[in-house]
Amino acid sequence: IIGLLFFIAIYGIVILQEGARIVPLISSKQLSQLPPAFSISPENNYIPLRFNQAGVMPIILTTAVLVIPNYITNLGLLPIVTLPVFVKSSQLIYWISYFVLILSFSLFYSNIVLNPKDISDELQKMAVSIPGIRPGIETTFYLKQVMKRVTLLGAIMLALLATLPNIIEAILHVSSFNGLGTTSLLILVGVILDISREMR
């Protein structure tokens, strides 16, 4: 079972790291040369919108935020709450907040990294457009919609990949994942994929 879970985690991480939504581009010169029936752009003329633009940053930020309450409690600034209901539900609250924070930070960080308005302006300066979409505001709106969907899918995948191994570990009372968490796997698989890309 552990080997199968490990394989699924690696497979999910590869899909997350390598997955991208391809937005085709066409230059104004190509647009004037092509007959109207054939509006096919060359294979290398596109914008790849990756599922995981943020990398491991959402996981790092989430871990940092979730450590703060424990740190404040250990300093003695806040009283320790020892209600039986709170102790039983604290693990569940932790994992729900872990999932939600990774989702939020991933969406936020991806919006900072890629700005649809900037991409639209750069495309307009280069006289390049997306087939079927007018340059300017329409391109910005189209890119914003596509990026919202791609980023949400990537954020959900990242949050699931980060949370599920820990939940499975807690349910099955197995500690074989210790030392090799999702963050480590994301970094490891990312480096291996980069090396294999450079070797080609």
Side-chain angles (χ1 to χ4, degrees):
I1 290 179
I2 302 300
L4 180 66
L5 293 175
F6 188 74
F7 176 76
I8 290 171
I10 296 287
Y11 185 74
I13 289 170
V14 169
I15 289 174
L16 184 66
Q17 294 287 82
E18 291 295 301
R21 164 74 157 80
I22 304 297
V23 178
L25 298 176
I26 190 163
S27 68
S28 56
K29 191 166 80 172
Q30 290 171 326
L31 193 59
S32 63
Q33 290 175 352
L34 291 174
F38 300 103
S39 60
I40 300 168
S41 60
E43 289 179 23
N44 60 353
N45 216 5
Y46 60 86
I47 300 174
L49 297 176
R50 300 178 89 64
F51 288 153
N52 187 18
Q53 291 288 344
V56 293
M57 283 305 293
I59 298 174
I60 293 168
L61 291 170
T62 299
T63 306
V65 166
L66 289 177
V67 165
I68 292 171
N70 193 21
Y71 183 71
I72 292 173
T73 305
N74 287 342
L75 287 176
L77 299 175
L78 288 176
I80 298 173
V81 180
T82 56
L83 297 172
V85 175
F86 184 74
V87 173
K88 286 180 183 175
S89 64
S90 66
Q91 190 99 15
L92 180 65
I93 293 169
Y94 177 81
W95 292 120
I96 290 172
S97 58
Y98 191 72
F99 184 87
V100 169
L101 283 172
I102 288 176
L103 199 65
S104 305
F105 283 134
S106 185
L107 291 170
F108 175 72
Y109 197 83
S110 295
N111 286 334
I112 290 174
V113 171
L114 281 178
N115 187 352
K117 177 85 172 93
D118 293 343
I119 295 171
S120 175
D121 291 344
E122 287 298 318
L123 290 176
Q124 206 164 5
K125 285 178 191 173
M126 295 185 302
V128 174
S129 65
I130 300 167
I133 309 293
R134 284 191 171 158
I137 296 172
E138 280 189 35
T139 302
T140 305
F141 181 73
Y142 175 78
L143 286 173
K144 196 179 288 184
Q145 292 299 320
V146 170
M147 285 171 56
K148 195 184 297 181
R149 282 186 241 127
V150 167
T151 304
L152 181 63
L153 179 65
I156 289 171
M157 285 175 64
L158 181 65
L160 282 173
L161 283 169
T163 311
L164 277 179
N166 298 321
I167 291 173
I168 290 169
E169 192 176 299
I171 291 171
L172 297 178
H173 303 292
V174 178
S175 61
S176 63
F177 289 121
N178 279 348
L180 193 64
T182 308
T183 311
S184 306
L185 283 176
L186 268 167
I187 294 169
L188 183 69
V189 170
V191 168
I192 290 170
L193 289 172
D194 286 342
I195 289 171
S196 68
R197 219 175 292 137
E198 290 297 321
M199 290 176 73
R200 279 189 233 149

